[in-house]
Amino acid sequence: MKKIQKILVANRGEIALRIMRSAKEMGIKTVAVFSEADRQALHVQYADEAICIGLPPSNQSYLKGDVIIETALKLNVDAIHPGYGFLSENADFSRKVKEAGLIFIGPSPESIVVMGDKLSAKEAAQKYNIPLVPGTPGAITDIEEAKKKAEEIGYPVLIKASAGGGGKGMRVVENNEEFESQMQRAVSEAQSSFGNGAVFVEKYIGSPKHIEIQVLGDTFGNIVYLFERECSIQRRHQKVIEEAPSPVVNAQMRKAMGECAVMVAKSCHYFGAGTVEFIVDEKLDFYFLEMNTRLQVEHPVTEQITSIDLVKEQIKIAQGEPLSFTQNDLKILGHSLEVRIYAEDPKNNFLPDIGTLETYQRPQGLGVRVDDGFSEGMTIPIYYDPMIAKLITFGKDRTEAIARMRRAISEYKIVGVETTLSFCDFVLQHEAFLSGNFDTKFVEKYFTPDKLNNKNNENELNILAALVGKLLTENNNTSTQNENNSVSQTNKKRSWKDRSR
Ligand code: MV4
């Protein structure tokens, strides 16, 4: 067993910094790589060494796997942490890292391959009797056969790309007549987005909740679950607010989902940190959707409620240590929320608002954590994700975590760009959010820009600015609210509720 002494972080922004913090606590040296756009970035300043690897566009820097591996070898690095996005779920990259004699801090390339394709992921899970959304067992090859299957399942159905992600290549089909045209659209979108036109059919769950389970596995086959994250509050497949635990999951459901997640991880011999995604229907029946083979953006809420440093665990697993705890050692210690603060204007259809952080003051105090990669005076680069920060709170229960989040949002002072802070505050005081009675349609059901409050109403300058803004631009937003039809589950399936596991 080789102790890692130096890690190259193949990422940028808040997650690069997040990873380096854990490395530092473990006495591990860090190397930052950066693009020309990130010369002044905090992850560059924080690292022990920093190397420029190319031009601002990510395909000329953060996605250049070969350059990153060369850099790692030149600087005598032991391991590479890919963070999330970029190369984190690229099986070729993880294989090449290994072949170069370096440690990839993440799962095996084989696990990435199996879980990277939705059909092969479902196939792996099926062997362990994990609940799956009813659908075609494989890719559609024959239209007539697929139509027959769709009728059997019952319309509406969803056509999904096997290589898909972020809703691309996904089409709802209402009836037999439109099946063929919708399928052609799905195939061509999948082909152009992923270079793989394979699609399959599933029963369409109209207003699902998105609940995911964090797992950790070591290289000896021990796997544990670190409970769930509720991620239903999202807008166009981009998560906005995440929390742990979920307000609708009870102890029995938690155990059932957790054990399913562990089985999914077992099905691909998983090691490292991973997330098993489920969709949950209105009857609280859950179905495995896919597995993300990386550290996720929203991992902090799990860290808060378990007191486990997931990055430290990833590093220990990567250097061949067995897990130092068992399932029984894990307890939920409280409640945590995360809001993602984007440089986007919620009053203007969430248009990215890139600029300079003229004022940037983070909230502080008990139970508040800010994971970010910026400080006052910095300009947000146009080349990457417009996320400024993740604001995380922890409290003894959900009520306290929410109150703390609203307090922290009111303390946050960002001037220079529009942000989603006010939008997050809108969600946090909404009755549906407070009651836990919400799903992935929350934003389209309830949000219109006129519902935003100016959150900084103690700040005189902002009051003035808001007044002037109101006078100058008459608000002429006429948003419509989508009516959404919930689908009643017709197939009576075995559920966690009538099983004793
Ligand atoms: C679904 C679904 C309804 N029924 N599958 C969206 C992206 C991909 N991760 C899976 N997704 C969905 N799959 C069936 N059979 C609805 C979604 C979905 C969704 C899922 C999780 C979080 C947000 C979502 C937003 C829209 C649609």
Side-chain angles (χ1 to χ4, degrees):
M1 188 174 94
K2 185 190 166 192
K3 277 251 183 263
I4 293 172
Q5 280 162 8
K6 197 173 183 182
I7 292 175
L8 181 151
V9 180
N11 215 301
R12 62 179 301 281
E14 64 87 17
I15 196 62
L17 206 51
R18 161 73 195 86
I19 292 160
M20 289 178 197
R21 289 197 160 111
S22 290
K24 183 162 272 186
E25 286 180 24
M26 296 170 85
I28 297 171
K29 295 277 180 226
T30 55
V31 174
V33 292
F34 63 96
S35 78
E36 296 281 4
D38 279 339
R39 219 161 254 290
Q40 314 297 327
L42 293 189
H43 79 279
V44 176
Q45 295 175 34
Y46 194 94
D48 295 300
E49 294 168 86
I51 303 286
C52 181
I53 51 164
L55 295 169
S58 31
N59 62 1
Q60 292 174 63
S61 47
Y62 297 107
L63 287 172
K64 293 213 119 184
D66 295 342
V67 173
I68 289 167
I69 292 170
E70 258 173 56
T71 307
L73 292 172
K74 217 181 294 170
L75 296 186
N76 276 316
V77 157
D78 302 306
I80 297 181
H81 196 306
Y84 55 71
F86 296 132
L87 297 165
S88 60
E89 292 175 284
N90 184 315
D92 283 339
F93 177 69
S94 75
R95 199 178 286 118
K96 282 183 186 164
V97 170
K98 218 162 119 184
E99 283 165 7
L102 302 166
I103 296 171
F104 179 77
I105 303 176
S108 69
E110 293 79 14
S111 303
I112 299 177
V113 168
V114 172
M115 291 300 159
D117 182 274
K118 288 175 176 51
L119 272 172
S120 69
K122 282 183 88 166
E123 211 174 293
Q126 184 138 51
K127 297 196 182 108
Y128 288 78
N129 278 317
I130 308 296
L132 301 173
V133 185
T136 52
I140 301 172
T141 46
D142 183 307
I143 287 253
E144 289 312 312
E145 216 172 286
K147 274 192 192 167
K148 224 186 275 165
K149 188 74 195 180
E151 245 167 14
E152 227 175 273
I153 296 166
Y155 284 103
V157 298
L158 194 59
I159 301 180
K160 283 187 177 179
S162 192
K168 280 210 183 99
M170 238 171 64
R171 292 276 159 180
V172 181
V173 188
E174 300 289 344
N175 53 53
N176 237 325
E177 288 68 57
E178 63 183 54
F179 190 94
E180 194 156 352
S181 67
Q182 290 291 55
M183 165 151 164
Q184 272 156 3
R185 274 187 211 146
V187 170
S188 77
E189 204 171 298
Q191 190 64 50
S192 67
S193 301
F194 316 112
N196 173 359
V199 298
F200 61 99
V201 173
E202 268 181 6
K203 168 104 199 138
Y204 178 59
I205 316 269
S207 296
K209 287 175 83 67
H210 171 152
I211 299 178
E212 58 187 31
I213 308 283
Q214 175 71 53
V215 298
L216 276 176
D218 64 22
T219 48
F220 304 92
N222 305 302
I223 305 178
V224 296
Y225 62 88
L226 287 86
F227 315 111
E228 77 279 5
R229 292 187 287 260
E230 162 73 64
C231 304
S232 300
I233 305 290
Q234 55 86 46
R235 190 187 156 272
R236 306 207 178 158
H237 302 289
Q238 190 182 72
K239 292 167 188 162
V240 177
I241 299 187
E242 302 101 340
E243 63 179 307
S246 164
V248 300
V249 173
N250 64 19
Q252 187 190 6
M253 181 173 173
R254 178 166 299 123
K255 186 166 190 284
M257 288 185 88
E259 286 171 359
C260 271
V262 167
M263 297 294 251
V264 170
K266 287 215 160 107
S267 79
C268 66
H269 312 288
Y270 200 83
F271 58 80
T275 298
V276 181
E277 264 187 49
F278 294 92
I279 63 176
V280 178
D281 66 17
E282 50 280 296
K283 287 163 44 204
L284 296 184
D285 283 323
F286 62 84
Y287 306 92
F288 166 62
L289 268 194
E290 55 196 86
M291 182 170 186
N292 300 318
T293 58
R294 60 167 190 276
L295 184 70
Q296 299 212 162
V297 176
E298 60 271 27
H299 77 274
V301 294
T302 300
E303 295 186 323
Q304 297 301 318
I305 65 154
T306 59
S307 204
I308 300 260
D309 179 330
L310 287 169
V311 175
K312 259 186 205 168
E313 296 306 321
Q314 286 187 296
I315 295 170
K316 291 199 280 184
I317 291 161
Q319 64 189 8
E321 290 183 43
L323 287 179
S324 61
F325 47 84
T326 63
Q327 192 63 55
N328 271 329
D329 298 325
L330 293 167
K331 296 276 170 314
I332 297 180
L333 307 172
H335 201 98
S336 181
L337 296 178
E338 171 179 289
V339 309
R340 299 189 189 187
I341 302 158
Y342 288 95
E344 291 175 350
D345 185 0
K347 292 187 293 312
N348 194 7
N349 202 25
F350 295 84
L351 210 71
D353 187 34
I354 299 297
T356 298
L357 301 170
E358 306 293 354
T359 303
Y360 185 72
Q361 286 169 31
R362 298 172 186 88
Q364 296 180 340
L366 183 61
V368 176
R369 166 176 172 183
V370 180
D371 280 20
D372 66 9
F374 292 100
S375 53
E376 197 164 273
M378 283 184 174
T379 298
I380 299 157
I382 57 166
Y383 302 95
Y384 319 106
D385 190 84
M387 192 172 75
I388 302 170
K390 305 187 302 202
L391 174 56
I392 301 125
T393 60
F394 180 71
K396 64 179 187 300
D397 54 26
R398 189 169 191 257
T399 305
E400 188 173 64
I402 293 173
R404 208 158 256 168
M405 183 63 84
R406 296 200 66 202
R407 184 267 290 175
I409 287 175
S410 79
E411 286 179 21
Y412 225 127
K413 297 278 179 287
I414 304 178
V415 178
V417 297
E418 294 295 332
T419 76
T420 50
L421 274 170
S422 57
F423 171 68
C424 291
D425 200 59
F426 157 79
V427 178
L428 291 168
Q429 49 80 48
H430 197 280
E431 180 281 321
F433 180 78
L434 295 174
S435 68
N437 182 22
F438 59 87
D439 54 52
T440 52
K441 297 245 163 104
F442 177 93
V443 178
E444 37 181 303
K445 268 186 202 160
Y446 303 120
F447 178 68
T448 48
D450 60 287
K451 302 219 169 77
L452 291 170
N453 263 328
N454 186 349
K455 66 116 197 162
N456 285 326
N457 43 17
E458 316 107 287
N459 183 329
E460 289 173 3
L461 251 176
N462 279 317
I463 291 180
L464 250 170
L467 259 168
V468 172
K470 259 209 181 109
L471 288 169
L472 289 177
T473 59
E474 234 8 274
N475 204 346
N476 58 350
N477 275 301
T478 53
S479 284
T480 53
Q481 224 160 291
N482 274 359
E483 205 61 56
N484 83 345
N485 28 342
S486 13
V487 178
S488 65
Q489 197 68 19
T490 44
N491 323 35
K492 193 83 191 121
K493 287 228 44 172
R494 274 192 338 147
S495 108
W496 58 270
K497 284 170 281 190
D498 40 61
R499 242 178 300 189
S500 50
R501 287 190 195 236

